[in-house]
Every structure is written in C-alpha cells, then in structure tokens.
Amino acid sequence: MIKNYLKTALRNLGRRKANSFVNISGLAVGFAAFLLIFLVIQYEQSFDTFHTKKNSIYRVVRAAKNRADDAYRTGVTVPTTFALRSDFPQLSNVAAIAADYNVQVLVPSANGSVAKKFNEGNGLFFTEPQFFKMFDFSLAIGNIKDALTEPNTALFTKELANKYFGDWKAAVGKTLKMDGQDIKITGILNDIPPNTDFPIKGVLSYETMRKYADFNSWGSINDADYCFVQLAPNETKEHFDHLLNGFMGKHTTPGNAGYDLVLQPLNQIHSDSRFNNYNGHTFSKDLTYALGAIGIFLLVIACVNFINLTTAQAMNRGKEVGVRKVLGGSRPQLMMQFFGETGITCLLALIVATGITLFCIPYINNLLSIHIATTILYSSNVLLFMLLALVLVTAFSGFYPALVLSGFNSVTVLKGSSSGAERQKGISLRRCLVVFQFVIAQTLIIATLIVTSQMDYFRMADLGFNKDAVINAGFPNDSLGARKMEVLRNDLLKLPGIRDFSLSMASPAGGGYYTDLRTPENHATEPNMITNMNEADTSFFNLYHLQLAAGRIYHASDTMREFVVNETVVRGLGLPNAQAAIGKKIKVAGKMLPIVGVLKDFHVNSLRDPMVPVVMTTMKKGYGMVSLKINLGHTTTIIPAMEKLWSQYFPDYIFGYNFLDQSIAATYQQENQLSLLYKIFSGIAIFISCLGLYGLISFMAVQRKKEIGIRKVLGAPVKDILVMLSKEFTILIAIAFLIATPVAWYFMNQWLQHYAYRIMIGVWFFAATIGGSLIIAWLTVGYTAIKAALANPVKSLRSE
C-alpha cells in the first residue's frame, strides 16, 4: 500500500509540473531562510560556551549612578584587579586583560636587521597568567605558570607565529620588537575558536603594560582595560555586587567616581547591547528573538502558501477522489495518500533548501562577519533539527489539504460540483491565510523602510565637526615621533592636495580616554562628571571645523596649560551659559587649569549614545595621530607620497591610514547588517506571499469560471471582470495593512528607543508600504486575472 501511495504521489507531482514547481520553490525558500537563521542563532549563542568554568566567570563593568544616562562601560581602572585580588581572597580567581590596537611589529632576520614589518590592528592583549586559569585557551608549547610572569614576554597563537616566523614550533625563544619594545616569545597558544569574544592572536605579559599605563591611578579609565573574576561556589552575583559598593568607597579617593562596579555574567557578554565587545560585534537578545520570529514566520507563510496552492487545485482532483471512494477507498486511506504527497514535496523542498543554504553560508558569513562552517549542516543536532522541521512542516502543510480533499462527497464531485458549504469554508480560510501572509510581509517592509531611514539619518546627521576628506594616520607615540612629525609637517604640506595638518591623540570621533572632572570646591565628594579627554594641537579646531560657543582656543604648548571644553561640560557644571565657564578652573587628568574656550557640542561617540562631556588640551607626548585635510582629487598621489615620507622618517614603522568618514560609517556595522537582512527577509516574504496570491487567484478563477462566462455572454467588458477578480485580494491586502501597521509601529518604535538620536516614524513609511504591496500584488495576479477574463465563455459554460 505504501509503495502504491509513493507511486501515486510521484505521478501526481509529475503530472502537475508547474504547480509542483511553485510548491517546492515556495517551501524551499522558506526552509532555506529558516535554516540559515537557525544556524546564525546557534552560532551566536555558542560564544564562549566551551569554557568549563563559564557559569562562575563574570566581567567587572561600570554602570553610571544615574542609570537614566544608560551609561554602561566595559573598562575599569588598572588598580581594580590588584585591589580585588587583595581585598577578596575568597574569590576563586581574578584576572586583568587589556586590548592593544595598531601594534607595530618588527621581526628581525638572522643577522639582526629588520626582515619583516607588520601592523596588528587588533587581536593583541596584555594579560596575567591567572586569565588562563579561568578560561580554556590551551598552550601547544610552554607552561602558563611562568610564561607571562616577566615583563616583555608573550604568547602567540600558531597562526600568528606562522605569520611571523613561518613555523610556529620554531618561534619559541625568539625575540622581536612590538611598539619599540623587545618581546620574547615564551610559548605558543593553540588557535582560538572563532565563537569567542576574545579574538586573541597573541598576549603580552601584563607587566609589559607598565610603559603605557599608571598601575596606581584610580582616576583614568580606558574602555579596553577589563577585569574578570571567578566566584567561589558558595558566592552569588547579587551578594558580590553589594560587596563592590563598599569596595568603591574604599579605593576611589576622594569619594565615589560617579559610577558603580557590577558583575556581568560571561554568558551575557556577547548579547548585552549596552556594551561594545572586543570584536565590535554585539548580537543582542532582542535581535536574536526578532530573527527567530522572522525565521518561523517565513516558514509558516511558506506552509500557508502550500496550503493555498494545494486547495486551489482541489477541484481538479475532485473526480479522482470520487472514483477512489466509489471503488472502496476510505477517508483515512485518502488522507494518507495526500499526506504522502505533502511529505514528498516537503522532502524535495528540504533537499533544495539544503543546497541553497550551502550556497548562502559564505555570503551570510561575509555579511554578518561570522564563521559558520558548511560542515555544521552534517552535525547531529542540525540533522535532528532538520528532521523535526520536516515532520512539523509536513503535518502543518498537509493536514488541511488532506482533510479537504479526502472529504469530498463522491456523488457531488462526480457530478462536477462541490457543496456551497465546502466552497465557503475553503475560501474563508484561504482569505485568512492570505491576510496572515501579507501581515508578515508588510510588517517586514515597514521595518525595512524605518531601519534604512535610520541609517540614512546616521550618514547625513551633523556630528558637530567636518569628517569629509580627512585622512588619519598613526606615528610612533613618543617624544621623538612628535618632534619628527613637526619636521614632517612641512614636507606633507608641500604635497599637492593637502590643505591642512594637525597632531592629536585621536580624531573627534571615538578617541581619547575617560577621566573624572572636579572643581576647586569639590575634592572630598563625587567628581562632577566623567569626561572624554583628548589632546591636540591648535590646528585641530580649524581642520575639523569645531565651532566656539564662547572664549578662544588654547595657546600652543607642549604641555597642559589650558582647557577647552564642550557645552555638555558647561551644563554639567550647572553654569547658566558658555560665557560663564570662561576662566573657571577645573581639575582633569590631575591638572587644575582654567577653561579658556567652550566648543559647541560634537559627537565623540556614535549617535546611539547621548552627548558626552569633552575636555581638550595640549600634550605633545600624547600625540600619536596626524589628521590631514585633503583634496579628494589627489588621493591617488597623496597616499603613495605619504607612505614614502613615513618610510623616510619612520623606517621601522608601517604606514597605516584611514578615511575618517569611512571609520565613522564602520561604527554602524550592525545597523547596516540589520538593514540588509530586513531587505532580504522582506523580499523573501513578498516572494512567498505573491505565490499565495497566485494560489488565491487560481482558486477564484476555477471557482468562478462559469460566473465569468455568464457575465461575458451578458456583455460584461473585460475591465469589469478584472475589477471583480482584483477586488477580492485588494480588500485582503488592505485588511492585512490595518493589522500590520500598529504591530510594525510598536516594535520599530521600541527599536528606535535604543538610539539617543533617531528619526520620527512618519506616515510615508506606511503609505509606501500599502502602495508597494498593492502594485506588487496586482502585477502578480495580473496575468491569471486577464487570462480568466479573456477566456472563451463557451468552454467555461460547456457541460461535460
């Protein structure tokens, strides 16, 4: 019997090739989208789950006392780690790790000369041996107990050691220069898995960082300085958070620094959107839920589409069902047959979807900057997931068509008609299914338009400074490097196309470091505020077109003499206006100096975050970046000329540069990815929904074939028949729009609340959605409707 069911199912699929192709295509696209989303979510939720002590490891983070500011920062002061280790011996472990960026690496040759030069943009860290007692990053060569105890020692991964020396086994014991320091390789780490928020290429001993950081300073904080603790089995997060309150009061002198220290569980680091992770990639829980819901909805509307198309063709199989029943076929047997056909269709669709998934995985990896291996599809949990999805989709898609087809009255269908009740029930359910499809599709369209508009707003927003045609390039961050850059200034300004030049610690966007600000009256209480500190020469203000609200810029100097602040600092000090701040003394970075100028606010952080207080001053030894305002027409000649000058002035330093506007745009990587994902998902939803419309119009054309013939015989013009057929789905799309509008508005309004600077949800988003939906729908059903309207009425009215 099963063999007969299989033969019949395959014969029916082959007989109705066009219908089978549409069914398989719709299900395959839905399956593929669902499977890809499942793989992405599974990958994102696997981050750092391979550590055996993961449930007891926490990151110590800062949270502003005024939580309304939504100010959560990853970094802590350098002494925090040592103090925690001393004050809380009950902790199982405490470890510090600090990210280092744009490290200049010189690999010597056998005769001692420089053989290779590298610039490691990221992936290098300073850390302690205790870090590897908490986290399961294993060594291929070396002993962690003594590998990082001495200054100027390092562990490299196999990949980095191969890059520098060709053979990682031969790298141990070798010495190279990193940012001018001799570093000895004392061990080799096994390559780090991609699903971790610690993208380690190499680690240097924490003692090596003393050259760059004050190990006794509780005032300056770098967001790249992290501290991890491992709680004892009998300790709880809530209790230790309480202990941290007393810890802050004891060590932050004078008073509390305006923030609390709290614990963040390791398993929440990757999905906590309040913080920026090491790799700049945050896959929030909200995004996980949104993608999961979209994946389910896409698969459901693919199933809905299958139901529509199958039941639309039911009348073509009515006589087959009637004959089978007359010959003794029971309803359960008929349902088994139709379930078999559905199962085969779903299986073929899943096979096609697997091929689509394999093809799309590299593109998804590139789009989302992730590392899903194609071999994951053959893992047991994914295969089990696919089998479960196949069973559920077959049951969901096959139940109603099997119920309808097997329920035909044999006498009625052999006469060539079906009952009005069956017809009314069928079309009512199909109407609901089509409405459901377009609710999902239109919700995704509205979401896509809003996300795209928010991204356009980010690109076009006034940041308070000029970011166009500005090149940023690094140079050795020492007194000799700054002196050389003063000489290099003249050579650079001679190059055609370079219009302005400035030396600074960082650009206006995302640079500097955070430190506390105090007034002369405020020594024994909390600081007035935590500010972003940037050090720059006097040319900085003109190059970036920073606007003064009051006062003047500071005078040129090699050391700190005066401060320039932004308007947010003025408001934080409770002053009535910018002019009132001129001459007022503040203490920042250990210096009590006067404010000589107030800048109009400009965005140091991305537009996700509120405006932050900014303090600027001169400090020649802090300069490590040159900013050049250029004529974009000379870019092709300026870059090679700059590289040549860098080789001349800094022979041991690799020339690296970036365009500021591109760097700023890169900070919105996740939003760009989300925008593109919504576009893709919207396209898929529209495609599947249009197949559903095709099923509905096909059903209507069959059901109303004789009605159309009678209307034509009585003189009805083609346009009236087209209106009659189009009115049905136009009303359904309008109903779907009325449902989708409040749903989309609510969820997208919630999404926009994550941004301090955001667009308003205007009427045009919804007008464009309904207009586009109707146009796409009319184009989809146009051919079938016109074909039905132009059909010869003799054929439709002829009784067989």
Side-chain angles (χ1 to χ4, degrees), residues 396-694:
F396 180 74
S397 302
F399 178 75
Y400 180 71
L403 190 67
V404 171
L405 292 171
S406 64
F408 282 157
N409 184 286
S410 56
V411 176
T412 304
V413 296
L414 288 175
K415 287 182 177 180
S417 63
S418 61
S419 70
E422 289 171 338
R423 181 166 59 251
Q424 186 61 40
K425 180 181 177 182
I427 197 167
S428 295
L429 179 61
R430 269 185 293 280
R431 285 170 176 163
C432 294
L433 295 178
V434 170
V435 168
F436 174 79
Q437 284 182 313
F438 270 90
V439 166
I440 302 303
Q442 291 179 359
T443 300
L444 286 173
I445 292 172
I446 294 169
T448 301
L449 293 175
I450 292 175
V451 171
T452 303
S453 296
Q454 180 69 15
M455 287 308 304
D456 289 340
Y457 172 75
F458 284 157
R459 283 190 292 268
M460 304 301 294
D462 181 11
L463 300 179
F465 61 89
N466 189 294
K467 67 180 187 299
D468 299 322
V470 174
I471 291 179
N472 295 140
F475 60 87
N477 187 12
D478 52 38
S479 57
L480 180 60
R483 287 199 297 270
K484 284 186 176 181
M485 284 306 302
E486 291 292 346
V487 179
L488 184 56
R489 175 197 299 264
N490 296 326
D491 289 337
L492 285 169
L493 291 176
K494 290 177 184 177
L495 296 176
I498 293 184
R499 295 155 48 190
D500 209 347
F501 172 105
S502 174
L503 298 178
S504 63
M505 174 184 286
S507 73
Y513 60 94
Y514 284 87
T515 187
D516 56 79
L517 179 153
R518 297 177 185 272
T519 56
E521 309 83 42
N522 184 11
H523 281 287
T525 58
E526 295 179 9
N528 298 78
M529 66 193 79
I530 303 298
T531 66
N532 179 270
M533 183 75 170
N534 197 1
E535 297 158 358
D537 64 14
T538 54
S539 302
F540 189 88
F541 302 92
N542 182 61
L543 188 147
Y544 286 106
H545 297 179
L546 296 175
Q547 303 297 311
L548 280 168
R552 59 173 174 82
I553 63 171
Y554 42 67
H555 294 306
S557 174
D558 290 347
T559 58
M560 291 187 188
R561 298 291 179 85
E562 301 167 322
F563 288 138
V564 170
V565 302
N566 68 349
E567 293 172 311
T568 301
V569 170
V570 175
R571 290 191 293 271
L573 292 174
L575 299 174
N577 53 55
Q579 189 60 45
I582 305 302
K584 185 173 180 62
K585 287 192 173 183
I586 56 174
K587 186 177 182 180
V588 183
K591 298 286 186 178
M592 184 72 74
L593 299 173
I595 297 173
V596 298
V598 177
L599 295 170
K600 292 183 179 179
D601 279 335
F602 60 93
H603 291 276
V604 173
N605 296 327
S606 74
L607 295 174
R608 304 183 191 99
D609 305 317
M611 198 72 68
V612 299
V614 176
V615 177
M616 296 189 65
T617 189
T618 52
M619 177 58 76
K620 193 171 187 178
K621 69 178 184 180
Y623 302 159
M625 189 188 77
V626 59
S627 299
L628 299 172
K629 187 75 172 179
I630 68 168
N631 185 328
L632 291 177
H634 292 79
T635 303
T636 55
T637 57
I638 288 174
I639 301 301
M642 288 178 64
E643 188 170 8
K644 184 177 179 180
L645 287 171
W646 252 251
S647 298
Q648 177 184 340
Y649 281 85
F650 310 110
D652 293 342
Y653 194 92
I654 289 183
F655 172 69
Y657 72 95
N658 61 71
F659 285 92
L660 181 59
D661 57 345
Q662 294 177 357
S663 297
I664 292 173
T667 63
Y668 302 109
Q669 178 186 13
Q670 184 178 6
E671 285 78 9
N672 282 314
Q673 292 170 342
L674 185 63
S675 176
L676 186 53
L677 280 177
Y678 274 131
K679 290 175 184 176
I680 294 171
F681 294 146
S682 296
I684 293 173
I686 291 169
F687 170 75
I688 298 175
S689 297
C690 287
L691 289 180
L693 277 184
Y694 170 80

Side-chain angles (χ1 to χ4, degrees), residues 320-335:
E320 174 192 345
V321 172
V323 170
R324 287 180 178 275
K325 282 193 170 184
V326 169
L327 295 176
S330 65
R331 188 168 189 179
Q333 288 176 328
L334 290 170
M335 290 187 70

Side-chain angles (χ1 to χ4, degrees), residues 53-336:
K53 302 170 184 175
K54 58 182 179 292
N55 294 326
S56 60
I57 298 175
Y58 297 82
R59 180 167 65 177
V60 181
V61 295
R62 306 191 330 266
K65 281 187 169 297
N66 181 7
R67 296 294 199 274
D69 291 339
D70 197 28
Y72 294 87
R73 315 295 301 193
T74 55
V76 296
T77 57
V78 174
T80 298
T81 301
F82 310 127
L84 285 171
R85 191 176 292 142
S86 173
D87 289 9
F88 300 106
Q90 68 268 34
L91 286 171
S92 297
N93 221 325
V94 184
I97 181 170
D100 200 7
Y101 301 103
N102 297 314
V103 178
Q104 295 287 324
V105 181
L106 304 179
V107 182
S109 62
N111 60 11
S113 62
V114 176
K116 302 175 185 176
K117 296 189 292 185
F118 301 92
N119 184 308
E120 295 297 339
N122 53 49
L124 293 180
F125 297 83
F126 298 100
T127 192
E128 304 175 291
Q130 291 89 337
F131 178 81
F132 292 94
K133 296 177 182 178
M134 298 169 65
F135 296 92
D136 296 337
F137 298 120
S138 60
L139 270 72
I141 299 178
N143 186 342
I144 197 60
K145 290 182 179 179
D146 50 23
L148 294 174
T149 54
E150 298 295 325
N152 294 18
T153 56
L155 301 172
F156 285 175
T157 60
K158 292 179 181 178
E159 180 183 3
L160 192 65
N162 282 330
K163 176 181 175 181
Y164 292 164
F165 300 102
D167 180 8
W168 61 269
K169 295 179 181 178
V172 178
K174 297 288 181 66
T175 300
L176 42 67
K177 284 187 178 294
M178 304 183 78
D179 279 346
Q181 295 194 81
D182 289 326
I183 302 296
K184 182 179 180 181
I185 303 170
T186 55
I188 300 296
L189 288 164
N190 289 309
D191 288 335
I192 307 302
N195 57 332
T196 177
D197 281 312
F198 304 92
I200 295 172
K201 299 177 184 176
V203 292
L204 287 74
S205 64
Y206 206 69
E207 283 296 313
T208 310
M209 198 174 72
R210 284 190 183 272
K211 179 181 177 181
Y212 311 100
D214 184 352
F215 277 31
N216 298 311
S217 172
W218 288 87
S220 296
I221 305 172
N222 190 322
D223 278 340
D225 292 338
Y226 313 102
C227 175
F228 286 87
V229 300
Q230 180 186 345
L231 298 184
N234 59 345
E235 184 63 271
T236 64
K237 174 186 181 301
E238 292 72 22
H239 180 252
F240 199 78
D241 280 341
H242 176 72
L243 295 178
L244 285 174
N245 290 331
F247 173 84
M248 282 293 293
K250 174 182 177 182
H251 290 284
T252 305
T253 305
N256 191 299
Y259 60 84
D260 295 321
L261 290 181
V262 294
L263 297 184
Q264 181 190 28
L266 177 66
N267 60 13
Q268 293 181 13
I269 288 178
H270 190 69
S271 61
D272 196 336
S273 58
R274 297 173 299 174
F275 302 91
N276 289 320
N277 293 326
Y278 304 119
N279 56 7
H281 176 71
T282 301
F283 203 88
S284 67
K285 287 184 179 179
D286 290 342
L287 183 56
T288 301
Y289 296 147
L291 282 183
I294 289 172
I296 292 172
F297 283 136
L298 288 177
L299 187 58
V300 169
I301 64 174
C303 297
V304 166
N305 176 71
F306 176 86
I307 294 171
N308 271 342
L309 290 172
T310 303
T311 53
Q313 299 296 324
M315 290 305 299
N316 297 330
R317 304 189 63 180
K319 291 185 177 180
E320 174 192 345
V321 172
V323 170
R324 287 180 178 275
K325 282 193 170 184
V326 169
L327 295 176
S330 65
R331 188 168 189 179
Q333 288 176 328
L334 290 170
M335 290 187 70
M336 282 294 296

